[in-house]
Amino acid sequence: MGGAHSVQGLIWMETNTGILKKDVLKKFFSDSLELYALRKHLKSSKEVLASGVNYAKAMEEAIRKITSNDQATMKEFEDFLNLYDIDEALSSFTAQSEFAVSGDVQLVDTSQFVTDGAAPSKPKYRDYGSLEN
């Protein structure tokens, strides 16, 4: 959802205090719902709302993921952005409670490891930077 510098800029532009008030947090979640709807090929954010979910209560629950009061510090907001992906962040609106997490991720190419007493070699790390192109 953005890096630390863009978050800092957002908070400063919106408030000039370094604090995000409840109205700004609501706008953030509203915009996030629009983004989520676009990603899911839905016509509007209203289609994201699960059947039987109260929008106002879902908004309060979402804000509580960031802060326990009606405003958030920059640290609280950054922690939220680093902790939740969009599905988790919006789960109070979508009523989604389970998230698939793959445990089959290897950051080290284990085929380079030696077996049974041979001299160990250094592991070769995969270059994920080349995937950005």
Side-chain angles (χ1 to χ4, degrees):
M1 289 188 163
H5 296 294
S6 61
V7 171
Q8 186 177 22
L10 167 74
I11 292 173
W12 185 255
M13 285 183 349
E14 291 291 335
T15 66
N16 289 332
T17 64
I19 299 292
L20 287 171
K21 294 186 179 179
K22 190 173 187 176
D23 290 341
V24 177
L25 295 174
K26 285 182 177 181
K27 177 71 173 135
F28 167 78
F29 279 109
S30 175
D31 291 347
S32 297
L33 284 168
E34 290 293 330
L35 174 63
Y36 190 82
L38 286 172
R39 287 184 176 180
K40 296 292 183 182
H41 305 287
L42 302 173
K43 293 179 183 177
S44 76
S45 62
K46 292 177 183 176
E47 294 180 45
V48 172
L49 199 63
S51 177
V53 172
N54 179 295
Y55 181 84
K57 288 181 181 178
M59 181 64 74
E60 290 299 320
E61 186 178 324
I63 290 171
R64 296 292 169 250
K65 290 179 183 176
I66 299 175
T67 182
S68 60
N69 55 36
D70 288 342
Q71 60 185 20
T73 65
M74 182 173 159
K75 171 134 180 53
E76 289 173 321
F77 192 66
E78 279 183 339
D79 288 347
F80 168 79
L81 292 177
N82 291 326
L83 182 62
Y84 293 95
D85 70 9
I86 194 165
D87 289 316
E88 294 169 317
L90 300 178
S91 64
S92 58
F93 298 97
T94 63
Q96 185 177 358
S97 61
E98 299 208 8
F99 304 96
V101 178
S102 173
D104 189 28
V105 177
Q106 293 183 346
L107 298 178
V108 176
D109 185 356
T110 56
S111 68
Q112 300 297 315
F113 292 154
V114 294
T115 59
D116 296 329
S121 63
K122 291 185 178 181
K124 293 185 181 178
Y125 295 95
R126 293 185 180 148
D127 179 15
Y128 288 102
S130 63
L131 298 177
E132 294 178 2
N133 296 332

